[in-house]
């Protein structure tokens, strides 16, 4: 399995909403509900913000929401704030033990708040 | 949940290195554990998973035979043994817990640099 496809960058003004797609296949995103999203600031470890497609872990902002349609998962950030400027990655379970990779990450999206 | 990686550093190509990840603040033996790496300026790459009971391990296909994941629940520590290191293995290596699927809680990472 190759990396899931995300746009390299997305930008918007404060207060606006953005959606980041994460495109895969029936072997990963389309076949399972184990899709997560992470926020990563420069020089910091990734932080889980969405798991199992749409669930938010304790402490994650309610402005983050997740969804999935077919083989594409999406992260929506509502009411964009300056603190949302970071890199975002999706992750999906990618199959059985015979797969090339049990889990696969997205290519990453840099969010810029204008 | 608190995870702290250690053991990174500069290593020559072809040499071996074992990095560690010590967990605290949770029942370590109840969790599966991942290793994930991130090369400088690049994205995240999943490497390996070990089940909570340690009976099963899974690897990125291209690393099989060169990297080995293991755990010592008495020491609350996860390991990644890396052999025959190459320049392209240069990255920050993260450990993370697994509750149901993709990594959940992450450590701060340890930098491994493979260079002569």
């Amino acid at each position: 399995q190759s990396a899931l496809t995300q746009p390299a960058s997305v930008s918007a003004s404060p207060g606006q909403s953005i959606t980041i797609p994460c495109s895969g296949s029936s072997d990963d995103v389309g076949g399972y509900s184990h899709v997560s999203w992470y926020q990563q600031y420069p020089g910091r470890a990734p932080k889980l913000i969405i798991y199992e497609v749409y669930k938010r872990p304790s402490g994650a902002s309610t402005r983050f929401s997740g969804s999935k349609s077919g083989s594409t998962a999406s992260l929506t950030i509502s009411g964009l704030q300056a603190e949302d400027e970071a890199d975002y990655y999706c992750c999906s379970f990618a199959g059985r033990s015979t797969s090339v990779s049990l889990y696969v990450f997205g290519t990453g999206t840099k969010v810029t708040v204008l | 949940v608190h995870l702290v990686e250690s053991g990174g550093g500069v290593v020559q190509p072809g040499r071996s290195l074992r990095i560690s990840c010590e967990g605290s603040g949770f029942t370590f033996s109840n969790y599966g554990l991942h290793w994930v790496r991130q090369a400088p300026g690049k994205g995240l790459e999943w490497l390996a998973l070990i089940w909570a009971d340690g009976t099963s391990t899974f690897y990125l296909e291209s690393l099989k035979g060169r990297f080995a994941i293991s755990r010592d629940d008495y020491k609350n520590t996860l390991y990644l043994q890396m052999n025959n290191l190459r320049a392209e293995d240069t990255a920050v290596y993260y450990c993370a817990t697994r509750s149901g699927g993709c990594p959940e809680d992450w450590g701060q990472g340890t930098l491994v640099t493979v260079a002569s």
Side-chain angles (χ1 to χ4, degrees), chain A residues 48-78:
Chain A
L48 181 69
I49 55 175
I50 293 288
Y51 69 101
E52 292 181 9
V53 178
Y54 64 90
K55 298 178 181 178
R56 271 189 306 275
S58 174
S61 173
T62 56
R63 297 184 297 102
F64 296 122
S65 61
S67 63
K68 188 181 84 165
S69 177
S71 298
T72 299
S74 297
L75 172 71
T76 297
I77 309 176
S78 311

Side-chain angles (χ1 to χ4, degrees), chain A residues 6-76:
Chain A
Q6 298 179 232
S9 62
V10 173
S11 59
S13 300
Q16 294 186 318
S17 294
I18 62 171
T19 295
I20 302 171
C22 167
S23 179
S25 70
S26 58
D27 291 331
D28 38 66
V29 175
Y32 308 97
S33 60
H34 289 299
V35 177
S36 296
W37 288 90
Y38 305 89
Q39 178 189 58
Q40 186 181 34
Y41 293 113
R44 303 292 298 274
K47 175 186 174 184
L48 181 69
I49 55 175
I50 293 288
Y51 69 101
E52 292 181 9
V53 178
Y54 64 90
K55 298 178 181 178
R56 271 189 306 275
S58 174
S61 173
T62 56
R63 297 184 297 102
F64 296 122
S65 61
S67 63
K68 188 181 84 165
S69 177
S71 298
T72 299
S74 297
L75 172 71
T76 297

Side-chain angles (χ1 to χ4, degrees), chain A residues 34-36 38 40 44-48 89 91-93 97-107, chain B residues 34 36 38 42-46 49 58-62 64 94 98 100-104 106-108:
Chain A
H34 289 299
V35 177
S36 296
Y38 305 89
Q40 186 181 34
R44 303 292 298 274
K47 175 186 174 184
L48 181 69
Y89 293 90
C91 169
S92 174
F93 180 68
S97 59
T98 53
S99 302
V100 168
S101 182
L102 205 57
Y103 293 87
V104 62
F105 284 95
T107 50
Chain B
H34 297 272
V36 177
Q38 186 170 35
K42 302 297 185 182
L44 301 169
E45 182 177 45
W46 179 83
L49 166 68
F58 304 91
Y59 296 93
L60 180 65
E61 184 72 20
S62 60
K64 279 184 181 178
Y94 296 102
R98 172 186 182 266
C102 288
E104 185 174 355
W106 299 59
Q108 87 290 346

